[in-house]
Amino acid sequence: MNIIFSPIVRRPGTDYELHMLSVEGDTLTVNGTDYDLTALEYNEDTGLAGYIQSATRDAASGWTVTLLLPIGDNASEAQRFPDPVTVASGPVPLPAPPDPEANETST
């Protein structure tokens, strides 16, 4: 499965985060919720299902899925400009979060 991340800035006070992502066949698991991509129907307001904005299947390359990637104001370079990933089965690596030490200031 080819995963394309689409960063969006989280609103303050929301817990809209992408914690865990995995692939098994035609099923994408997002934060513990399984989505059978063959059964999803498009909705103009929400895309396919929450984080899943589009999913297309090509006979040669399989599924290509575009996922929302909620980021904060202190997002890392990897989160702001994520590389696409391809995973046949198992956990999907998420873009690396910011280094907490980089945000510390010395006095």
Side-chain angles (χ1 to χ4, degrees):
M1 186 173 298
N2 304 303
I3 310 278
I4 299 168
F5 294 104
S6 180
I8 60 167
V9 177
R10 284 190 316 250
R11 291 185 205 156
T14 65
D15 63 349
Y16 191 63
E17 291 187 37
L18 190 55
H19 301 285
M20 191 275 306
L21 193 59
S22 65
V23 171
E24 185 64 41
D26 292 332
T27 301
L28 180 65
T29 303
V30 181
N31 293 344
T33 302
D34 293 338
Y35 296 97
D36 178 355
L37 297 177
T38 62
L40 292 178
E41 293 185 21
Y42 184 77
N43 178 305
E44 285 186 29
D45 295 325
T46 62
L48 290 172
Y51 293 94
I52 304 171
Q53 289 302 290
S54 69
T56 57
R57 188 173 195 167
D58 178 270
S61 60
W63 286 102
T64 297
V65 178
T66 300
L67 292 176
L68 293 179
L69 177 65
I71 61 173
D73 292 336
N74 66 336
S76 68
E77 189 81 3
Q79 290 173 319
R80 289 182 290 157
F81 305 101
D83 291 326
V85 296
T86 300
V87 175
S89 182
V92 176
L94 297 173
D99 179 359
E101 292 180 15
N103 293 328
E104 291 180 8
T105 57
S106 58
T107 55

